[in-house]
Amino acid sequence: MARGVLRWAVMGGHGHGHGHDHDHDDEYSELDPMDVRVRALETLLTEKGYVDPAALDELIDTYQTRIGPRNGARVVARAWVDPEFRDWLRSDATAAIASLDYTGRQGEHMVAVEQTDDTHNMVVCTLCSCYPWPVLGLPPTWYKSAPYRSRVVRDPRGVLAEFGVTPPDGVELRVWDSTAEIRYVVIPQRPEGTEGWSEEQLAELVTRDSMIGVGLPLDPMPLGSGGNPT
Amino acid sequence: MSDVYISHADLGGTTGHGPIEYEPEGIVFHHGWEAKTLALTLAAGASGKWNIDISRRFRETLADYLDLSYYEIWTAGLESLLVDRGMVSEDEIAAGHALIEPVEVRSVLTADRVAAAMAKGSSAERPPSGPARFAMGDRVLTRAGHVDHHTRLPGYATGRVGTVERIHGAHVFPDTNAHDLGEQPQWLYTVVFDATDLWDHATPSQRVSVDAWESYLRPADEAVTP
């Protein structure tokens, strides 16, 4: 299990596209007006006594390195190996997920939806950016941006194709629009060829995208090559 | 609620937003200020001066919502909330420093309480005041037309017939909670629609669901417009 955490944590620090590390305050650029604006707001709220700067650091660390999609991957892997846990996910996902210590903000009311041979589920929040933080962490930018939010409810098959997923004709596409405080996590189908795998190995196959419904689990064959689903 | 209320965030089914710009797993923030804005927003929520529905109202009504990046929306929303709640003044925002005395707040989130606070979250479920009006499998018609306040019924799902698929208990009602009018909890349902009942030229074998509060719904056979 530690392997998955480590990989995710490392990627959290270095996997972004801007070429340098933003983990620390001292790397704020003076040139970006948003840097200046947010730094001013932080100073103001700290001076007023409304926020504790140490709590801000703790919050950032929590969502940058501790709470992310490796949590959800462990939920899925457990569901793949443990039929009782899978039934529990179906009947009370909030409690089942809480048994793995994934609880709290933006995951207070969880529903797990399962991919089957007949149905392919996808999750969106067309109204804002609702996303199950305790199991998936903070949402990726595309999830909370207008192109995905606008199109996935009207053309789910077209959107899926852009993610490289093309379910056979006859598979029903089901989109869950998270318009209330219910948060949805998709349980992908266990890949064939993984008989006898440990829960820890299986979790390595579970991608963030497969738990939103826009991707599939990794192919079990190249496991160990360190490949990322893109 | 007398002014015309416009949400710029109700995007389902709208067009012209360009391609999806994919990013792989592992990218959390693009800039340090994004992380800081998230943290400031979460921390300032401990003030007790607003709730999640109020904060959504302040974000979705930003006139330039569609021109802003996600965390620019959060920054602007937080600034206007803080001013609206009297916690800071416009002059203080401009100065980036405290100029007047702070107001009393419910609590200040300290570092040692962050993990517990995030792990606890904030349930939206409340004891129901009566039985659920609808049962699983009921055909329901959603509210039609625009409402002049924050709401969580997406435009594409207004005035449509769907089927009750799940019943979630009574949940805080955003339409009132977002306007400081109380939680007024209502039964919450997952209502699923055939795509052909939502869109012209829809492909069959596609379905879309929303989570809808009871007052958004009425029995589909009660096809009388008031």
Side-chain angles (χ1 to χ4, degrees), chain A residues 11 35 37 47-48 50 64 70 103 105 108-109 126 129 149-150 153-154 173-175 177 179 181 184 208-209, chain B residues 9 13 22-23 25 29 33 56 70 79 87 92 97-98 100 103 118-119 122 124 152 156 165 199 207 209 211:
Chain A
M11 290 174 63
D35 281 349
R37 179 176 171 184
E47 288 179 2
K48 300 280 269 191
Y50 297 143
Q64 188 145 272
R70 293 303 94 206
T103 63
R105 194 179 176 97
E108 293 92 343
H109 311 284
T126 62
S129 56
R149 286 164 54 192
S150 61
V153 286
R154 185 195 282 269
L173 295 191
R174 170 61 188 276
V175 181
D177 191 353
T179 56
E181 299 307 325
Y184 296 94
R208 172 200 67 194
D209 293 355
Chain B
Y22 182 74
E23 283 183 340
E25 185 171 328
F29 302 110
W33 67 263
R56 288 191 183 124
Y70 183 72
E79 287 173 346
M87 292 173 69
E92 288 180 313
H97 286 286
I100 52 175
V103 297
M118 293 302 112
S122 179
R152 296 290 289 182
Y156 73 84
E165 187 183 53
W199 317 108
R207 296 196 300 161
S209 62
D211 294 327

Tab-separated table of all heavy atoms in Angstrom, chain A residues 11 35 37 47-48 50 64 70 103 105 108-109 126 129 149-150 153-154 173-175 177 179 181 184 208-209, chain B residues 9 13 22-23 25 29 33 56 70 79 87 92 97-98 100 103 118-119 122 124 152 156 165 199 207 209 211:
chain	number	residue	atom	x	y	z
A	11	MET	N	4.320	12.492	-7.386
A	11	MET	CA	3.725	13.154	-8.546
A	11	MET	C	3.067	14.468	-8.161
A	11	MET	O	3.087	15.423	-8.903
A	11	MET	CB	2.688	12.237	-9.187
A	11	MET	CG	3.329	11.050	-9.869
A	11	MET	SD	2.087	9.909	-10.473
A	11	MET	CE	1.260	10.942	-11.658
A	35	ASP	N	-0.633	36.166	-7.645
A	35	ASP	CA	0.252	35.950	-6.500
A	35	ASP	C	0.141	37.123	-5.535
A	35	ASP	O	-0.007	36.948	-4.320
A	35	ASP	CB	1.714	35.853	-6.957
A	35	ASP	CG	2.058	34.494	-7.534
A	35	ASP	OD1	1.246	33.568	-7.394
A	35	ASP	OD2	3.150	34.374	-8.111
A	37	ARG	N	-2.210	39.379	-5.302
A	37	ARG	CA	-3.570	39.540	-4.761
A	37	ARG	C	-3.829	38.560	-3.614
A	37	ARG	O	-4.372	38.931	-2.570
A	37	ARG	CB	-4.552	39.313	-5.898
A	37	ARG	CG	-6.014	39.426	-5.525
A	37	ARG	CD	-6.839	39.277	-6.797
A	37	ARG	NE	-8.256	39.159	-6.538
A	37	ARG	CZ	-9.147	38.942	-7.500
A	37	ARG	NH1	-8.747	38.819	-8.763
A	37	ARG	NH2	-10.427	38.843	-7.219
A	47	GLU	N	-3.629	39.309	9.741
A	47	GLU	CA	-3.596	40.478	10.630
A	47	GLU	C	-4.910	40.645	11.391
A	47	GLU	O	-4.922	41.035	12.562
A	47	GLU	CB	-3.305	41.749	9.832
A	47	GLU	CG	-1.858	41.842	9.340
A	47	GLU	CD	-1.585	43.112	8.515
A	47	GLU	OE1	-2.507	43.951	8.356
A	47	GLU	OE2	-0.460	43.237	8.025
A	48	LYS	N	-6.003	40.337	10.729
A	48	LYS	CA	-7.307	40.459	11.380
A	48	LYS	C	-7.535	39.347	12.402
A	48	LYS	O	-8.501	39.386	13.164
A	48	LYS	CB	-8.431	40.402	10.334
A	48	LYS	CG	-8.391	41.502	9.278
A	48	LYS	CD	-8.950	42.823	9.753
A	48	LYS	CE	-10.419	42.934	9.449
A	48	LYS	NZ	-10.902	44.333	9.685
A	50	TYR	N	-8.303	36.231	11.557
A	50	TYR	CA	-9.311	35.283	11.084
A	50	TYR	C	-8.710	33.940	10.669
A	50	TYR	O	-9.407	32.930	10.643
A	50	TYR	CB	-10.068	35.849	9.872
A	50	TYR	CG	-10.866	37.095	10.135
A	50	TYR	CD1	-10.945	38.105	9.163
A	50	TYR	CD2	-11.573	37.265	11.328
A	50	TYR	CE1	-11.700	39.246	9.377
A	50	TYR	CE2	-12.324	38.411	11.543
A	50	TYR	CZ	-12.380	39.403	10.567
A	50	TYR	OH	-13.121	40.527	10.777
A	64	GLN	N	-2.404	18.446	-0.969
A	64	GLN	CA	-1.350	18.273	-1.973
A	64	GLN	C	-0.682	16.911	-1.862
A	64	GLN	O	-0.285	16.330	-2.869
A	64	GLN	CB	-0.304	19.380	-1.830
A	64	GLN	CG	0.714	19.374	-2.966
A	64	GLN	CD	1.156	20.775	-3.332
A	64	GLN	OE1	0.538	21.447	-4.162
A	64	GLN	NE2	2.194	21.227	-2.683
A	70	ARG	N	-5.170	7.897	-4.708
A	70	ARG	CA	-4.704	6.585	-4.209
A	70	ARG	C	-5.652	6.071	-3.118
A	70	ARG	O	-5.756	4.861	-2.907
A	70	ARG	CB	-3.267	6.678	-3.688
A	70	ARG	CG	-2.210	6.965	-4.750
A	70	ARG	CD	-2.206	5.928	-5.878
A	70	ARG	NE	-3.024	6.347	-7.002
A	70	ARG	CZ	-3.609	5.515	-7.861
A	70	ARG	NH1	-3.504	4.227	-7.716
A	70	ARG	NH2	-4.341	5.976	-8.846
A	103	THR	N	-12.884	9.854	5.159
A	103	THR	CA	-14.125	10.497	5.599
A	103	THR	C	-14.010	12.000	5.410
A	103	THR	O	-12.943	12.537	5.150
A	103	THR	CB	-14.371	10.263	7.104
A	103	THR	OG1	-13.300	10.872	7.844
A	103	THR	CG2	-14.445	8.780	7.441
A	105	ARG	N	-14.827	16.125	4.612
A	105	ARG	CA	-15.238	17.202	3.740
A	105	ARG	C	-15.365	16.767	2.288
A	105	ARG	O	-14.444	16.219	1.714
A	105	ARG	CB	-14.232	18.351	3.861
A	105	ARG	CG	-14.755	19.630	3.251
A	105	ARG	CD	-13.773	20.758	3.405
A	105	ARG	NE	-14.302	21.927	2.712
A	105	ARG	CZ	-14.967	22.918	3.300
A	105	ARG	NH1	-15.147	22.911	4.579
A	105	ARG	NH2	-15.433	23.933	2.593
A	108	GLU	N	-19.127	13.524	2.603
A	108	GLU	CA	-20.023	13.230	3.725
A	108	GLU	C	-21.122	12.242	3.339
A	108	GLU	O	-21.626	11.507	4.186
A	108	GLU	CB	-20.662	14.524	4.248
A	108	GLU	CG	-19.685	15.491	4.916
A	108	GLU	CD	-19.102	16.519	3.949
A	108	GLU	OE1	-19.192	16.295	2.714
A	108	GLU	OE2	-18.562	17.532	4.424
A	109	HIS	N	-21.503	12.251	2.071
A	109	HIS	CA	-22.604	11.397	1.596
A	109	HIS	C	-22.153	10.727	0.302
A	109	HIS	O	-22.291	11.281	-0.779
A	109	HIS	CB	-23.863	12.231	1.342
A	109	HIS	CG	-24.207	13.144	2.477
A	109	HIS	ND1	-24.781	12.699	3.640
A	109	HIS	CD2	-24.004	14.476	2.647
A	109	HIS	CE1	-24.938	13.719	4.472
A	109	HIS	NE2	-24.471	14.806	3.893
A	126	THR	N	-22.215	19.782	-13.168
A	126	THR	CA	-22.399	20.828	-14.180
A	126	THR	C	-22.516	22.206	-13.545
A	126	THR	O	-22.322	23.210	-14.233
A	126	THR	CB	-23.672	20.582	-15.027
A	126	THR	OG1	-24.833	20.628	-14.182
A	126	THR	CG2	-23.609	19.243	-15.749
A	129	SER	N	-18.165	22.266	-8.969
A	129	SER	CA	-16.997	21.384	-9.056
A	129	SER	C	-17.078	20.255	-8.043
A	129	SER	O	-16.057	19.783	-7.570
A	129	SER	CB	-15.726	22.199	-8.842
A	129	SER	OG	-15.799	22.888	-7.607
A	149	ARG	N	-17.825	20.113	-18.202
A	149	ARG	CA	-19.106	20.282	-17.505
A	149	ARG	C	-20.254	20.498	-18.477
A	149	ARG	O	-21.370	20.027	-18.244
A	149	ARG	CB	-19.017	21.469	-16.539
A	149	ARG	CG	-18.196	21.163	-15.295
A	149	ARG	CD	-17.794	22.430	-14.557
A	149	ARG	NE	-18.925	23.289	-14.240
A	149	ARG	CZ	-18.811	24.541	-13.818
A	149	ARG	NH1	-17.613	25.083	-13.681
A	149	ARG	NH2	-19.886	25.246	-13.541
A	150	SER	N	-20.009	21.217	-19.544
A	150	SER	CA	-21.099	21.521	-20.475
A	150	SER	C	-21.443	20.330	-21.355
A	150	SER	O	-22.612	20.076	-21.638
A	150	SER	CB	-20.725	22.722	-21.344
A	150	SER	OG	-19.563	22.438	-22.111
A	153	VAL	N	-22.954	15.919	-20.226
A	153	VAL	CA	-24.359	15.534	-20.055
A	153	VAL	C	-25.083	15.429	-21.398
A	153	VAL	O	-26.080	14.737	-21.528
A	153	VAL	CB	-25.130	16.514	-19.132
A	153	VAL	CG1	-24.721	16.302	-17.686
A	153	VAL	CG2	-24.911	17.961	-19.543
A	154	ARG	N	-24.593	16.133	-22.406
A	154	ARG	CA	-25.256	16.118	-23.705
A	154	ARG	C	-24.643	15.067	-24.629
A	154	ARG	O	-25.354	14.437	-25.419
A	154	ARG	CB	-25.144	17.506	-24.357
A	154	ARG	CG	-25.891	17.630	-25.657
A	154	ARG	CD	-25.472	18.869	-26.429
A	154	ARG	NE	-26.060	20.106	-25.927
A	154	ARG	CZ	-27.205	20.613	-26.371
A	154	ARG	NH1	-27.907	19.979	-27.289
A	154	ARG	NH2	-27.662	21.740	-25.898
A	173	LEU	N	-24.756	4.530	-21.494
A	173	LEU	CA	-23.939	5.536	-20.820
A	173	LEU	C	-24.803	6.237	-19.792
A	173	LEU	O	-25.902	6.695	-20.100
A	173	LEU	CB	-23.385	6.545	-21.822
A	173	LEU	CG	-22.408	5.973	-22.837
A	173	LEU	CD1	-21.719	7.094	-23.586
A	173	LEU	CD2	-21.366	5.102	-22.153
A	174	ARG	N	-24.297	6.321	-18.579
A	174	ARG	CA	-25.057	6.913	-17.492
A	174	ARG	C	-24.214	8.022	-16.857
A	174	ARG	O	-23.112	7.761	-16.370
A	174	ARG	CB	-25.389	5.836	-16.451
A	174	ARG	CG	-25.964	6.366	-15.154
A	174	ARG	CD	-27.285	7.112	-15.397
A	174	ARG	NE	-27.723	7.772	-14.192
A	174	ARG	CZ	-28.418	7.181	-13.217
A	174	ARG	NH1	-28.734	5.912	-13.313
A	174	ARG	NH2	-28.794	7.877	-12.168
A	175	VAL	N	-24.751	9.240	-16.891
A	175	VAL	CA	-24.045	10.385	-16.322
A	175	VAL	C	-24.712	10.786	-15.006
A	175	VAL	O	-25.931	10.960	-14.954
A	175	VAL	CB	-24.048	11.574	-17.302
A	175	VAL	CG1	-23.287	12.751	-16.704
A	175	VAL	CG2	-23.461	11.168	-18.642
A	177	ASP	N	-24.944	13.701	-12.471
A	177	ASP	CA	-24.649	15.119	-12.244
A	177	ASP	C	-24.777	15.388	-10.747
A	177	ASP	O	-25.854	15.250	-10.166
A	177	ASP	CB	-25.630	15.978	-13.058
A	177	ASP	CG	-25.225	17.443	-13.100
A	177	ASP	OD1	-24.264	17.825	-12.405
A	177	ASP	OD2	-25.884	18.206	-13.843
A	179	THR	N	-25.497	17.373	-8.260
A	179	THR	CA	-26.130	18.670	-8.023
A	179	THR	C	-26.423	18.928	-6.541
A	179	THR	O	-26.825	20.032	-6.188
A	179	THR	CB	-27.439	18.788	-8.822
A	179	THR	OG1	-28.287	17.690	-8.461
A	179	THR	CG2	-27.174	18.734	-10.317
A	181	GLU	N	-25.306	17.349	-2.250
A	181	GLU	CA	-24.097	17.017	-1.488
A	181	GLU	C	-23.781	15.520	-1.547
A	181	GLU	O	-22.924	15.038	-0.804
A	181	GLU	CB	-24.229	17.487	-0.035
A	181	GLU	CG	-24.415	19.003	0.129
A	181	GLU	CD	-23.347	19.829	-0.586
A	181	GLU	OE1	-22.182	19.385	-0.641
A	181	GLU	OE2	-23.704	20.898	-1.100
A	184	TYR	N	-20.205	11.036	-5.828
A	184	TYR	CA	-20.179	9.756	-6.528
A	184	TYR	C	-18.750	9.310	-6.826
A	184	TYR	O	-17.916	10.117	-7.269
A	184	TYR	CB	-20.966	9.871	-7.844
A	184	TYR	CG	-22.435	10.145	-7.609
A	184	TYR	CD1	-22.926	11.449	-7.613
A	184	TYR	CD2	-23.312	9.107	-7.339
A	184	TYR	CE1	-24.273	11.709	-7.365
A	184	TYR	CE2	-24.655	9.352	-7.092
A	184	TYR	CZ	-25.132	10.658	-7.111
A	184	TYR	OH	-26.460	10.903	-6.857
A	208	ARG	N	-7.267	7.510	-11.332
A	208	ARG	CA	-8.254	8.556	-11.019
A	208	ARG	C	-9.354	8.572	-12.063
A	208	ARG	O	-10.547	8.592	-11.748
A	208	ARG	CB	-7.551	9.925	-10.993
A	208	ARG	CG	-8.504	11.105	-10.860
A	208	ARG	CD	-7.858	12.412	-11.313
A	208	ARG	NE	-7.602	12.405	-12.753
A	208	ARG	CZ	-6.823	13.283	-13.377
A	208	ARG	NH1	-6.208	14.227	-12.700
A	208	ARG	NH2	-6.659	13.209	-14.686
A	209	ASP	N	-8.969	8.581	-13.345
A	209	ASP	CA	-9.961	8.708	-14.410
A	209	ASP	C	-10.968	7.563	-14.387
A	209	ASP	O	-12.149	7.758	-14.700
A	209	ASP	CB	-9.260	8.746	-15.774
A	209	ASP	CG	-8.434	10.006	-15.957
A	209	ASP	OD1	-8.484	10.887	-15.078
A	209	ASP	OD2	-7.731	10.105	-16.980
B	9	ALA	N	-22.850	29.770	-13.771
B	9	ALA	CA	-22.179	28.483	-13.589
B	9	ALA	C	-23.001	27.298	-14.085
B	9	ALA	O	-22.532	26.168	-14.047
B	9	ALA	CB	-21.851	28.290	-12.109
B	13	GLY	N	-24.989	21.277	-20.983
B	13	GLY	CA	-25.643	21.346	-22.283
B	13	GLY	C	-25.337	22.589	-23.091
B	13	GLY	O	-25.721	22.671	-24.258
B	22	TYR	N	-7.013	18.141	-21.142
B	22	TYR	CA	-6.749	17.045	-20.221
B	22	TYR	C	-5.474	17.266	-19.407
B	22	TYR	O	-4.501	17.832	-19.907
B	22	TYR	CB	-6.625	15.727	-20.989
B	22	TYR	CG	-6.404	14.553	-20.071
B	22	TYR	CD1	-7.451	14.060	-19.309
B	22	TYR	CD2	-5.148	13.975	-19.933
B	22	TYR	CE1	-7.261	13.015	-18.435
B	22	TYR	CE2	-4.948	12.922	-19.058
B	22	TYR	CZ	-6.005	12.447	-18.310
B	22	TYR	OH	-5.818	11.416	-17.440
B	23	GLU	N	-5.514	16.830	-18.179
B	23	GLU	CA	-4.296	16.777	-17.357
B	23	GLU	C	-4.242	15.438	-16.652
B	23	GLU	O	-5.265	14.969	-16.154
B	23	GLU	CB	-4.287	17.885	-16.305
B	23	GLU	CG	-3.928	19.227	-16.873
B	23	GLU	CD	-3.840	20.292	-15.813
B	23	GLU	OE1	-4.414	20.104	-14.715
B	23	GLU	OE2	-3.215	21.313	-16.060
B	25	GLU	N	-3.278	12.465	-13.835
B	25	GLU	CA	-3.343	12.335	-12.386
B	25	GLU	C	-2.058	12.864	-11.748
B	25	GLU	O	-0.973	12.667	-12.265
B	25	GLU	CB	-3.521	10.841	-12.058
B	25	GLU	CG	-3.720	10.539	-10.609
B	25	GLU	CD	-4.098	9.060	-10.403
B	25	GLU	OE1	-4.756	8.472	-11.290
B	25	GLU	OE2	-3.726	8.504	-9.367
B	29	PHE	N	-2.040	21.574	-7.981
B	29	PHE	CA	-2.075	23.032	-8.152
B	29	PHE	C	-1.077	23.413	-9.240
B	29	PHE	O	-0.070	22.751	-9.445
B	29	PHE	CB	-1.686	23.748	-6.852
B	29	PHE	CG	-2.572	23.403	-5.688
B	29	PHE	CD1	-2.095	22.631	-4.636
B	29	PHE	CD2	-3.885	23.855	-5.633
B	29	PHE	CE1	-2.909	22.316	-3.555
B	29	PHE	CE2	-4.702	23.533	-4.558
B	29	PHE	CZ	-4.210	22.760	-3.516
B	33	TRP	N	-0.260	30.340	-5.433
B	33	TRP	CA	-1.416	31.123	-4.989
B	33	TRP	C	-2.708	30.313	-5.073
B	33	TRP	O	-3.643	30.571	-4.313
B	33	TRP	CB	-1.541	32.437	-5.768
B	33	TRP	CG	-1.878	32.309	-7.227
B	33	TRP	CD1	-1.010	32.322	-8.278
B	33	TRP	CD2	-3.190	32.149	-7.791
B	33	TRP	NE1	-1.696	32.169	-9.469
B	33	TRP	CE2	-3.030	32.070	-9.202
B	33	TRP	CE3	-4.476	32.074	-7.258
B	33	TRP	CZ2	-4.112	31.908	-10.073
B	33	TRP	CZ3	-5.556	31.914	-8.126
B	33	TRP	CH2	-5.372	31.833	-9.527
B	56	ARG	N	-21.207	29.198	-2.754
B	56	ARG	CA	-21.489	28.912	-4.174
B	56	ARG	C	-22.223	30.080	-4.822
B	56	ARG	O	-21.975	30.416	-5.969
B	56	ARG	CB	-22.337	27.634	-4.296
B	56	ARG	CG	-21.543	26.381	-3.991
B	56	ARG	CD	-22.338	25.127	-4.388
B	56	ARG	NE	-21.574	23.954	-4.003
B	56	ARG	CZ	-22.024	22.974	-3.202
B	56	ARG	NH1	-23.258	23.013	-2.734
B	56	ARG	NH2	-21.259	21.956	-2.903
B	70	TYR	N	-10.438	28.630	-12.369
B	70	TYR	CA	-11.146	28.093	-11.211
B	70	TYR	C	-10.761	28.803	-9.916
B	70	TYR	O	-11.621	29.258	-9.164
B	70	TYR	CB	-10.842	26.599	-11.094
B	70	TYR	CG	-11.570	25.923	-9.969
B	70	TYR	CD1	-12.936	25.696	-10.047
B	70	TYR	CD2	-10.896	25.508	-8.827
B	70	TYR	CE1	-13.616	25.070	-9.018
B	70	TYR	CE2	-11.567	24.876	-7.798
B	70	TYR	CZ	-12.920	24.660	-7.899
B	70	TYR	OH	-13.577	24.034	-6.870
B	79	GLU	N	-13.214	37.091	-1.596
B	79	GLU	CA	-13.104	38.526	-1.307
B	79	GLU	C	-14.490	39.163	-1.158
B	79	GLU	O	-14.739	39.916	-0.205
B	79	GLU	CB	-12.339	39.235	-2.437
B	79	GLU	CG	-10.845	38.952	-2.443
B	79	GLU	CD	-10.144	39.518	-3.673
B	79	GLU	OE1	-10.842	39.894	-4.657
B	79	GLU	OE2	-8.905	39.570	-3.663
B	87	MET	N	-16.488	41.310	7.362
B	87	MET	CA	-15.241	40.864	8.014
B	87	MET	C	-14.052	41.710	7.594
B	87	MET	O	-13.095	41.874	8.357
B	87	MET	CB	-14.977	39.393	7.692
B	87	MET	CG	-15.992	38.446	8.336
B	87	MET	SD	-15.788	36.739	7.771
B	87	MET	CE	-14.203	36.299	8.528
B	92	GLU	N	-9.476	47.604	2.853
B	92	GLU	CA	-8.496	46.640	3.385
B	92	GLU	C	-8.037	45.672	2.304
B	92	GLU	O	-6.861	45.307	2.234
B	92	GLU	CB	-9.103	45.872	4.574
B	92	GLU	CG	-9.238	46.728	5.831
B	92	GLU	CD	-9.848	45.947	6.985
B	92	GLU	OE1	-10.870	45.254	6.762
B	92	GLU	OE2	-9.320	46.034	8.115
B	97	HIS	N	-3.845	45.074	3.998
B	97	HIS	CA	-3.542	45.139	5.429
B	97	HIS	C	-4.800	45.495	6.207
B	97	HIS	O	-5.723	46.097	5.669
B	97	HIS	CB	-2.467	46.203	5.717
B	97	HIS	CG	-1.095	45.778	5.298
B	97	HIS	ND1	-0.370	44.842	5.986
B	97	HIS	CD2	-0.342	46.144	4.239
B	97	HIS	CE1	0.787	44.645	5.373
B	97	HIS	NE2	0.827	45.427	4.306
B	98	ALA	N	-4.796	45.139	7.492
B	98	ALA	CA	-5.920	45.467	8.357
B	98	ALA	C	-5.911	46.962	8.652
B	98	ALA	O	-4.870	47.531	8.984
B	98	ALA	CB	-5.834	44.670	9.656
B	100	ILE	N	-9.118	48.323	10.078
B	100	ILE	CA	-10.140	48.487	11.110
B	100	ILE	C	-10.192	47.219	11.963
B	100	ILE	O	-9.645	46.188	11.590
B	100	ILE	CB	-11.536	48.782	10.504
B	100	ILE	CG1	-11.875	47.723	9.440
B	100	ILE	CG2	-11.581	50.175	9.900
B	100	ILE	CD1	-13.277	47.852	8.868
B	103	VAL	N	-14.188	41.746	13.235
B	103	VAL	CA	-15.460	41.400	13.868
B	103	VAL	C	-15.284	40.070	14.601
B	103	VAL	O	-14.310	39.338	14.382
B	103	VAL	CB	-16.602	41.280	12.828
B	103	VAL	CG1	-16.843	42.617	12.146
B	103	VAL	CG2	-16.305	40.192	11.810
B	118	MET	N	-11.192	18.446	8.680
B	118	MET	CA	-11.411	17.966	7.322
B	118	MET	C	-11.986	16.552	7.343
B	118	MET	O	-12.825	16.198	6.533
B	118	MET	CB	-10.111	18.002	6.521
B	118	MET	CG	-9.578	19.407	6.255
B	118	MET	SD	-10.738	20.490	5.360
B	118	MET	CE	-11.134	21.674	6.633
B	119	ALA	N	-11.513	15.732	8.286
B	119	ALA	CA	-11.993	14.344	8.352
B	119	ALA	C	-13.432	14.266	8.853
B	119	ALA	O	-14.121	13.286	8.592
B	119	ALA	CB	-11.080	13.516	9.262
B	122	SER	N	-18.978	18.092	7.091
B	122	SER	CA	-20.183	18.775	7.537
B	122	SER	C	-21.363	18.133	6.827
B	122	SER	O	-21.618	18.396	5.657
B	122	SER	CB	-20.068	20.258	7.186
B	122	SER	OG	-21.212	20.943	7.576
B	124	ALA	N	-24.911	17.258	5.360
B	124	ALA	CA	-26.043	18.063	4.888
B	124	ALA	C	-27.374	17.402	5.214
B	124	ALA	O	-28.427	17.957	4.924
B	124	ALA	CB	-25.930	18.284	3.382
B	152	ARG	N	-30.236	24.528	-7.336
B	152	ARG	CA	-29.371	23.430	-7.768
B	152	ARG	C	-30.078	22.528	-8.772
B	152	ARG	O	-29.647	21.392	-8.984
B	152	ARG	CB	-28.894	22.632	-6.556
B	152	ARG	CG	-28.012	23.437	-5.610
B	152	ARG	CD	-26.648	23.780	-6.162
B	152	ARG	NE	-25.776	22.617	-6.253
B	152	ARG	CZ	-24.510	22.661	-6.682
B	152	ARG	NH1	-23.970	23.820	-7.077
B	152	ARG	NH2	-23.780	21.571	-6.731
B	156	TYR	N	-30.802	22.492	-17.885
B	156	TYR	CA	-31.144	21.458	-18.864
B	156	TYR	C	-32.163	20.462	-18.323
B	156	TYR	O	-32.798	19.744	-19.091
B	156	TYR	CB	-29.882	20.723	-19.343
B	156	TYR	CG	-29.258	19.766	-18.342
B	156	TYR	CD1	-29.727	18.460	-18.208
B	156	TYR	CD2	-28.199	20.169	-17.531
B	156	TYR	CE1	-29.159	17.582	-17.283
B	156	TYR	CE2	-27.632	19.306	-16.610
B	156	TYR	CZ	-28.109	18.019	-16.492
B	156	TYR	OH	-27.568	17.164	-15.582
B	165	GLU	N	-35.030	7.425	-8.618
B	165	GLU	CA	-34.207	6.222	-8.582
B	165	GLU	C	-33.627	5.948	-7.195
B	165	GLU	O	-33.390	4.801	-6.828
B	165	GLU	CB	-33.067	6.385	-9.584
B	165	GLU	CG	-32.235	5.140	-9.776
B	165	GLU	CD	-31.086	5.395	-10.725
B	165	GLU	OE1	-30.321	6.353	-10.488
B	165	GLU	OE2	-30.970	4.659	-11.710
B	199	TRP	N	-32.647	16.162	-24.571
B	199	TRP	CA	-31.987	16.820	-25.698
B	199	TRP	C	-32.657	16.452	-27.014
B	199	TRP	O	-33.108	15.321	-27.195
B	199	TRP	CB	-30.506	16.378	-25.798
B	199	TRP	CG	-29.793	16.311	-24.500
B	199	TRP	CD1	-29.398	15.192	-23.832
B	199	TRP	CD2	-29.361	17.419	-23.694
B	199	TRP	NE1	-28.759	15.527	-22.671
B	199	TRP	CE2	-28.718	16.878	-22.559
B	199	TRP	CE3	-29.459	18.804	-23.831
B	199	TRP	CZ2	-28.176	17.695	-21.559
B	199	TRP	CZ3	-28.922	19.604	-22.842
B	199	TRP	CH2	-28.292	19.051	-21.727
B	207	ARG	N	-28.437	7.974	-20.325
B	207	ARG	CA	-29.277	8.529	-19.261
B	207	ARG	C	-28.451	9.479	-18.400
B	207	ARG	O	-27.248	9.284	-18.231
B	207	ARG	CB	-29.881	7.417	-18.407
B	207	ARG	CG	-30.852	6.519	-19.209
B	207	ARG	CD	-31.732	5.683	-18.296
B	207	ARG	NE	-30.934	4.813	-17.452
B	207	ARG	CZ	-31.386	4.261	-16.329
B	207	ARG	NH1	-32.616	4.503	-15.912
B	207	ARG	NH2	-30.605	3.477	-15.612
B	209	SER	N	-28.669	11.689	-14.624
B	209	SER	CA	-29.432	11.931	-13.394
B	209	SER	C	-28.966	13.204	-12.719
B	209	SER	O	-27.819	13.639	-12.879
B	209	SER	CB	-29.282	10.755	-12.423
B	209	SER	OG	-27.937	10.597	-12.027
B	211	ASP	N	-29.520	15.197	-8.679
B	211	ASP	CA	-30.059	15.056	-7.335
B	211	ASP	C	-30.963	16.260	-7.098
B	211	ASP	O	-30.516	17.410	-7.212
B	211	ASP	CB	-28.928	14.969	-6.311
B	211	ASP	CG	-28.118	13.689	-6.508
B	211	ASP	OD1	-28.723	12.670	-6.911
B	211	ASP	OD2	-26.899	13.705	-6.293
